[in-house]
């Protein structure tokens, strides 16, 4: 039972990383009906930029982990704006249904190649901001870093939700999410809202990168698998539900850790993918998603 609890705690930490990235998918889908398929690369770049700031790589400055986080958030936001300007906005203007898909995938490949040339192809260790000594909960060993991941992931998602509900700019995002055409008629600059949603999406992914980096190795390839699994989480939970992202992330994270231990690490992705297929067959909008009704 202690081992099972330890696996569950590890799965929760992993699942919350998936949830943060999936939350970013939801932000852009809500405002523009598009997705950034380079979310994993936004996470990867955030982790590598953060490592350069705290780890003194290539002669960069050395800062405390906590002071590094705002820098990574700003970098992630700028990277997201760049993706929207270059890859998404032209496709939206010409109403291309697939142009933004290929554009964001192409940019993801470019970002990965750029990262390999700047930071190299080898994985690098990320310094831990807190003690690595585990403590016990119900007899299971839990790493403080795992708790930091869960708290940090919940904090960034809660902060975005509060911003959307309380600030005038957030209300513009919500209005655009509900009806882009109506929001435009009411004087809201929907193009700027979409750009902002991409900035916010990539900033949350970059933040997820510096959360997960101390638990794993940091490198140019770290984002691809995380981004793909987070997309599966977004589909399982529903692209219109923040709660769906959290629940979907927890389900996938726990399923992976438990399967990897009790069956084989070679099969740890199978349960989550089977769940994805099941959800798509039974409830295509996701567990918490709402089916869109189009009037013709």
């Amino acid at each position: 039972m202690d081992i099972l609890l330890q696996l569950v705690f590890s799965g929760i930490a992993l699942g919350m990383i998936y949830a943060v990235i999936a939350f970013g998918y939801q932000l852009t889908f809500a405002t523009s009906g598009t997705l950034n398929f380079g979310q994993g690369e936004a996470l990867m770049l955030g982790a590598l930029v953060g490592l350069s700031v705290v780890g003194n790589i290539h002669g960069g400055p050395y800062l405390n982990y906590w002071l590094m986080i705002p820098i990574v958030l700003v970098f992630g936001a700028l990277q997201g704006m760049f993706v929207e300007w270059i890859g998404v906005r032209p496709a939206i203007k010409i109403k291309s249904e697939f142009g933004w898909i290929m554009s964001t995938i192409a940019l993801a490949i470019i970002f990965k190649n750029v990262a390999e040339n700047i930071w190299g192809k080898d994985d690098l260790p990320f310094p831990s901001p807190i003690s690595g000594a585990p403590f016990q909960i119900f007899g299971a060993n839990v790493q403080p870093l795992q708790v930091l991941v869960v708290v940090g992931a919940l904090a960034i998602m809660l902060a975005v939700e509060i911003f959307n509900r309380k600030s005038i700019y957030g209300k513009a995002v919500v209005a655009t999410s509900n009806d882009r055409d109506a929001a435009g008629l009411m004087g809201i600059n929907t193009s700027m809202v979409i750009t902002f949603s991409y900035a916010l999406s990539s900033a949350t992914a970059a933040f997820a990168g510096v959360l997960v980096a101390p638990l794993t190795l940091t490198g140019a390839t770290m984002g691809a698998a995380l981004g793909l699994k987070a997309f599966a989480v977004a589909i399982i939970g529903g692209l219109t539900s923040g709660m769906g992202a959290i629940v979907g992330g927890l389900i996938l994270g726990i399923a992976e850790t438990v399967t990897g231990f009790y069956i084989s690490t070679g099969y740890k992705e199978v349960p989550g993918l089977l769940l994805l297929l099941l959800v798509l067959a039974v409830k295509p909008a996701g567990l918490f998603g709402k089916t869109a009704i189009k009037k013709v």
Side-chain angles (χ1 to χ4, degrees):
M1 183 57 69
D2 292 346
I3 293 176
L4 178 60
L5 280 175
Q6 194 164 329
L7 292 171
V8 169
F9 290 139
S10 297
I12 289 173
L14 178 61
M16 291 308 300
I17 292 297
Y18 293 155
V20 172
I21 307 172
F23 187 69
Y25 282 122
Q26 293 173 352
L27 289 172
T28 59
F29 183 78
T31 56
S32 64
T34 63
L35 300 167
N36 178 13
F37 285 102
Q39 276 290 90
E41 277 61 37
L43 177 146
M44 173 268 295
L45 288 173
L48 287 171
V49 169
L51 182 60
S52 294
V53 174
V54 302
N56 200 28
I57 294 178
H58 295 309
Y62 183 92
L63 284 183
N64 180 276
Y65 178 89
W66 310 107
L67 295 177
M68 167 271 296
I69 290 177
I71 297 174
V72 169
L73 289 174
V74 171
F75 172 82
L78 293 174
Q79 189 258 351
M81 293 170 63
F82 177 80
V83 170
E84 194 276 334
W85 287 338
I86 301 299
V88 178
R89 184 176 297 188
I92 292 178
K93 282 184 178 180
I94 63 174
K95 297 182 178 180
S96 171
E97 294 186 6
F98 303 107
W100 56 269
I101 296 176
M102 296 309 302
S103 295
T104 55
I105 291 175
L107 285 170
I109 296 172
I110 292 172
F111 289 140
K112 177 178 174 292
N113 289 337
V114 169
E116 287 178 341
N117 281 282
I118 295 177
W119 288 278
K121 296 183 179 181
D122 296 330
D123 291 329
L124 305 168
F126 199 105
S128 174
I130 56 178
S131 171
F135 59 93
Q136 288 196 337
I137 298 180
F138 302 118
N141 290 325
V142 178
Q143 296 183 39
L145 280 172
Q146 293 174 335
V147 178
L148 176 64
V149 165
V150 174
V151 173
L154 289 174
I156 191 69
M157 289 188 285
L158 180 62
V160 172
E161 284 296 320
I162 293 175
F163 174 83
N164 284 341
R165 294 176 185 274
K166 299 298 183 181
S167 72
I168 186 65
Y169 302 104
K171 290 178 180 178
V173 173
V174 174
T176 304
S177 302
N178 291 332
D179 193 322
R180 196 196 318 172
D181 294 332
L185 292 173
M186 293 297 293
I188 296 174
N189 188 337
T190 56
S191 294
M192 288 300 297
V193 170
I194 292 172
T195 302
F196 178 75
S197 70
Y198 265 83
L200 202 56
S201 172
S202 291
T204 57
F207 179 71
V210 296
L211 278 182
V212 74
L215 284 172
T216 182
L217 293 174
T218 306
T221 59
M222 67 179 293
L226 289 171
L228 184 60
K229 292 176 183 178
F231 180 64
V233 165
I235 299 300
I236 291 171
L239 276 167
T240 58
S241 171
M243 180 59 68
I246 295 175
V247 173
L250 293 178
I251 291 173
L252 187 60
I254 294 172
E256 282 191 5
T257 56
V258 171
T259 302
F261 182 82
Y262 286 107
I263 300 177
S264 170
T265 55
Y267 290 100
K268 67 178 184 178
E269 286 91 2
V270 172
L273 296 176
L274 289 176
L275 178 60
L276 172 62
L277 295 174
L278 180 62
V279 169
L280 288 174
V282 177
K283 201 173 186 296
L287 296 176
F288 293 85
K290 297 179 181 179
T291 303
I293 300 175
K294 293 184 178 181
K295 296 180 180 180
V296 293

